[in-house]
Amino acid sequence: MTDLSDLPPAWPGRRALAWPGVPLLVALALWAYAVRHTDVSRLDDYGLVSALHPAFWAGLAVLTTGFWFTVRDARRPGAWSAAYVLGLLVMERATQAVLYPTPLYAWAWKHEAVIDHLLTAGGLQTADQVGDMAVYDQWPGFFAAQAALQRLLGVDSTAMFMAWWPLASSLMLLLPLLLIYRTFTEDRRLIWTAVWLFYVANWVGQDYFSPQSVAYALHVGVLAVVLRRFGRSAVRRGRPRQAVWTVVITVMIVAIVISHQLTPGMLAVCLLALCLSRRYRDWVPLVTTVVIFLAWCLTAALPFLSVAMPEMIRSIGDVGANVETGYGATPTGTGAIATSWAARLLSGSVLLLAVVGVLRQRVLRHRAWPLLLVAAAPLPMFAASSYGSEMIFRVLLFMLPGAAFFAAAALLPKVRTLAADAAAQETGNRQTTGNRQTTGTAGPRRWGIGTWVPLAALLGGTLAFVPAYSGKDRINYFPPQEVALVRQLFDQAPEGSLVVAANRNYPDAYASYWSIDHYWFLDDARSHVDRIVRDPAATLADDMAGVERPARAYFLLTQGQLANSEMNGQLDKAQLDRIRTSVAASPRFRLVAENSAGWLYVLKQSGGAER
């Protein structure tokens, strides 16, 4: 095994055991005060960053500092480090759930609609019945589980608990992360610092109410089992136990495969990388993953893949296209750009620290070589697919367990083998005894550059998480008025109706998607968008004219759409105001409802009295 050394001794007495609780309690008290005095009713382009009360930032700084001085002492109980990590998760992942009265993120609301469809229809539908939503009905694992949970809890919809899903999904990762890191070291300092950095660097936002969140936790769980139970030494200890662990990972792999499209591929490349090392020659996990994945793709998922496969094949090797943003995905405005750079610098810093850790810690580079392979394995996926221009974020996410471990090693003193550490300790004891005989006292405790520079790096990364993770909350937050307006629309829209909106960034955008059509005109060709901007009411009326009674055609413009369009470089506020003003003045439209969060119009139908 390996351990860390050259750290100051623990403080003697009960005071040494109790003092970590002080900064932890102070940090949580500051957080509680901050959330009670934070107003999210008027978010600007910096999202939650500029809205947070200053006490939040002070609390996060106190928490990080307390964690660092606690975790550095190897003889301090690991429960304190665990308590600090849990405090970090509360401040990182629970703040939005406490502050916002409605769940964040349009895609979370979209997944709620899929669950509602599953409960309403009583089963799955074919690709031609659900159109572009077929990808959800053909990977139903997460949605079926959530539908069962909704019925078990007796709630009306998953919106009752999905705001807390980021905290829950982050907690699901804690045990497998600890198991992975304990495979390569028993030093609690390295383990808990790696866990801290993992959560700090995990700003990508895939912890929301989504299949990815559960599939990723299962992915890390499979890696934990394989790294601990399928190495050469574990295999030699007995095959019967190996069969049990094979069953365990098979269950997890099935759950991944039926829930998410990308995660099985990422898991397969990670397992392949492990098989190429001498320590992991057991091909059973890899073969199991590939066989189950292919079986699902060739059966349940075949209708979707038969349509999508040609485009997926064309994108292979087109690295430039796979990482570019393009129209409607380019941050604009000071706040959006600052948020984007905070995220890039955070990820870049953690990856740079990981490289430093690999180069600096020779013992870990040898002992944790499998974890280094797992961290590097997702990189080739850059060339595999664009995944909706999100592949760069997914690669970062799947690299993170290994990258965080080596980044933590860069912040801590050099790792030595236990034999070398014992020899160094014996030498140190002799020197200390000699000093005491000479002076009668122990040497003073020193806090040098090895303490403050890593603390500054840890503190900078922890604070940078907030803008990287919450800097786009102006886009992602939908106030209760917006939720009420959209629900009023779907409560009155007859089957077969058409809803036209600028983009899909509003709550319940996919409500009743199996019976109501949607058209988001900013997804259309740029030439048509320009035509809408030049003559909004006439162009939109023509686009909506094909709907026949009793169905209706609605035009919806909400706060979430405006924020998304402005901050992602689609249409600016003046252009969107021009569209709304034109529709409002047109005799072909009638205002149905409006409030502080948006407007709802209906296209008047000819050939009868207008309701």
Side-chain angles (χ1 to χ4, degrees):
M1 299 299 294
T2 57
D3 207 342
L4 294 170
S5 56
D6 11 323
L7 291 178
W11 290 6
R14 294 182 178 179
R15 186 163 58 103
L17 297 177
W19 82 261
V22 176
L24 177 60
L25 291 176
V26 170
L28 292 176
L30 288 169
W31 172 78
Y33 180 84
V35 296
R36 286 179 61 86
H37 294 83
T38 295
D39 180 14
V40 297
S41 61
R42 294 184 178 180
L43 297 178
D44 58 19
D45 285 356
Y46 290 90
L48 190 58
V49 177
S50 58
L52 282 168
H53 190 276
F56 177 88
W57 302 99
L60 201 55
V62 170
L63 185 78
T64 307
T65 305
F67 168 78
W68 178 242
F69 284 104
T70 299
V71 78
R72 291 180 80 252
D73 192 340
R75 285 165 286 187
R76 194 172 303 284
W80 280 119
S81 298
Y84 271 95
V85 168
L86 292 177
L88 176 70
L89 290 180
V90 168
M91 295 186 72
E92 279 187 346
R93 263 73 181 189
T95 298
Q96 293 168 315
V98 174
L99 287 175
Y100 297 125
T102 58
L104 288 178
Y105 202 44
W107 252 240
W109 290 88
K110 180 180 184 179
H111 296 154
E112 194 273 334
V114 177
I115 295 167
D116 183 47
H117 163 236
L118 199 58
L119 291 171
T120 302
L124 303 178
Q125 297 187 13
T126 60
D128 60 325
Q129 290 176 300
V130 295
D132 62 353
M133 298 295 286
V135 66
Y136 296 99
D137 281 83
Q138 291 174 45
W139 277 271
F142 171 81
F143 305 110
Q146 294 302 323
L149 179 62
Q150 179 179 329
R151 284 181 170 173
L152 179 65
L153 296 177
V155 296
D156 293 334
S157 74
T158 53
M160 303 291 292
F161 57 82
M162 69 184 184
W164 293 92
W165 197 258
L167 178 61
S169 62
S170 297
L171 289 172
M172 285 191 290
L173 289 164
L174 184 56
L175 178 59
L177 283 173
L178 291 174
L179 291 175
I180 288 175
Y181 296 151
R182 283 183 59 83
T183 304
F184 304 105
T185 182
E186 289 186 348
D187 195 292
R188 292 195 297 267
R189 291 164 289 191
L190 180 55
I191 293 170
W192 286 108
T193 304
V195 170
W196 184 281
L197 283 176
F198 173 88
Y199 284 123
V200 164
N202 188 12
W203 60 267
V204 175
Q206 295 307 307
D207 55 357
Y208 73 104
F209 187 71
S210 65
Q212 173 74 92
S213 63
V214 176
Y216 182 65
L218 292 170
H219 165 88
V220 179
V222 171
L223 291 180
V225 172
V226 172
L227 289 170
R228 291 183 69 86
R229 300 299 179 183
F230 283 81
R232 286 188 300 174
S233 59
V235 171
R236 285 196 296 266
R237 284 196 290 266
R239 283 289 176 181
R241 183 175 298 179
Q242 206 71 9
V244 173
W245 288 112
T246 300
V247 173
V248 170
I249 65 169
T250 299
V251 172
M252 291 192 288
I253 291 168
V254 169
I256 293 172
V257 168
I258 67 174
S259 298
H260 198 247
Q261 309 82 44
L262 178 65
T263 305
M266 288 290 191
L267 179 60
V269 298
C270 290
L271 295 177
L272 176 61
L274 287 177
C275 287
L276 297 179
S277 68
R278 289 184 296 176
R279 299 185 201 178
Y280 295 90
R281 291 296 189 187
D282 196 329
W283 291 79
V284 170
L286 175 61
V287 172
T288 302
T289 301
V290 172
V291 168
I292 295 174
F293 186 34
L294 288 178
W296 187 263
C297 290
L298 295 176
T299 54
L302 187 60
F304 171 80
L305 291 176
S306 61
V307 176
M309 189 59 69
E311 181 61 30
M312 294 169 63
I313 294 175
R314 281 195 296 269
S315 68
I316 295 177
D318 190 0
V319 178
N322 290 349
V323 299
E324 67 183 2
T325 51
Y327 171 65
T330 304
T332 58
T334 305
I337 293 174
T339 295
S340 178
W341 275 105
R344 295 176 187 178
L345 291 174
L346 177 55
S347 292
S349 298
V350 171
L351 293 178
L352 180 61
L353 280 175
V355 173
V356 172
V358 170
L359 297 176
R360 181 170 175 259
Q361 305 281 18
R362 185 173 61 180
V363 172
L364 280 183
R365 188 167 66 240
H366 168 71
R367 178 167 182 78
W369 173 250
L371 192 53
L372 185 60
L373 291 176
V374 169
L379 284 171
M381 297 296 284
F382 271 128
S385 171
S386 67
Y387 204 71
S389 299
E390 291 188 1
M391 183 57 75
I392 185 173
F393 306 119
R394 305 306 174 98
V395 169
L396 287 171
L397 180 66
F398 283 90
M399 291 177 65
L400 200 51
F405 181 81
F406 288 99
L411 296 179
L412 293 165
K414 281 192 175 182
V415 173
R416 298 194 290 224
T417 62
L418 288 182
D421 190 57
Q425 184 175 3
E426 182 179 354
T427 302
N429 289 339
R430 291 173 182 171
Q431 292 176 348
T432 301
T433 302
N435 289 338
R436 287 176 177 173
Q437 290 174 349
T438 303
T439 64
T441 59
R445 187 173 194 169
R446 297 180 180 178
W447 304 103
I449 192 172
T451 298
W452 300 110
V453 171
L455 172 59
L458 196 68
L459 185 58
T462 304
L463 295 176
F465 170 86
V466 180
Y469 187 77
S470 305
K472 291 186 176 181
D473 279 7
R474 185 189 165 211
I475 294 176
N476 296 329
Y477 168 55
F478 310 116
Q481 297 88 342
E482 187 169 356
V483 175
L485 182 68
V486 176
R487 287 183 173 171
Q488 182 177 348
L489 160 63
F490 287 105
D491 284 344
Q492 72 176 32
E495 185 173 343
S497 294
L498 171 67
V499 176
V500 176
N503 52 53
R504 63 196 75 196
N505 192 62
Y506 53 94
D508 277 331
Y510 288 83
S512 303
Y513 65 87
W514 56 94
S515 61
I516 294 179
D517 293 327
H518 298 79
Y519 169 52
W520 299 287
F521 61 80
L522 288 180
D523 288 349
D524 213 333
R526 187 61 188 266
S527 59
H528 189 70
V529 174
D530 292 339
R531 191 157 63 249
I532 292 175
V533 173
R534 286 194 302 270
D535 191 3
T539 306
L540 288 172
D542 291 341
D543 291 339
M544 301 162 65
V547 179
E548 299 180 357
R549 293 179 186 275
R552 311 298 298 275
Y554 298 89
F555 176 70
L556 176 70
L557 192 60
T558 64
Q559 176 178 306
Q561 297 174 54
L562 298 174
N564 187 78
S565 180
E566 289 180 46
M567 293 184 65
N568 282 330
Q570 294 177 321
L571 298 180
D572 58 31
K573 187 177 185 302
Q575 292 171 313
L576 292 167
D577 285 344
R578 171 182 169 81
I579 292 174
R580 190 196 67 80
T581 303
S582 175
V583 169
S586 172
R588 302 180 67 179
F589 289 90
R590 178 174 62 87
L591 180 66
V592 175
E594 68 173 319
N595 58 31
S596 59
W599 304 264
L600 175 63
Y601 296 87
V602 65
L603 180 68
K604 295 180 180 179
Q605 294 173 310
S606 58
E610 178 65 28
R611 291 180 296 176

